[in-house]
Amino acid sequence: MTDITFYELPGCPFCAKVRTKLEDLDLEYDTVQVPAARNERTEVEAVSGQTGVPIIVDEAHGVEGMAESSDIVAYLEETYGAEA
């Protein structure tokens, strides 16, 4: 079990952006693939209060349900990047 959980939808370009950053930083993470139908995304809604993806949870740093790919990428770089 890792500290980072990544909620994504296959084929989502915003999710791909976050996945690329996770992989570039060589971070271990768990992936939860959400259903295509927004009304079936109960797990991601419980975590983040919304049904959109991508979403990350980082238990090590108290991040619960961070949304918006650009915000997630900036957070990952700031927290886990070379300067961190």
Side-chain angles (χ1 to χ4, degrees):
M1 177 100 180
T2 65
D3 290 329
I4 298 174
T5 304
F6 173 45
Y7 294 83
E8 69 171 331
L9 178 66
C12 165
F14 302 106
C15 298
K17 177 179 174 179
V18 172
R19 187 179 334 99
T20 297
K21 179 53 71 175
L22 287 162
E23 292 171 1
D24 286 351
L25 293 171
D26 199 28
L27 297 173
E28 291 186 24
Y29 60 96
D30 293 321
T31 300
V32 177
Q33 291 190 359
V34 302
R38 283 183 177 262
N39 65 340
E40 295 177 10
R41 297 180 189 174
T42 54
E43 183 178 356
V44 76
E45 187 172 19
V47 168
S48 67
Q50 66 178 36
T51 58
V53 287
I55 298 289
I56 66 160
V57 173
D58 184 355
E59 294 179 20
H61 293 93
V63 173
E64 298 180 13
M66 179 180 284
E68 300 299 327
S69 60
S70 295
D71 293 344
I72 295 170
V73 167
Y75 163 78
L76 292 171
E77 188 61 45
E78 180 179 312
T79 306
Y80 297 102
E83 296 85 37

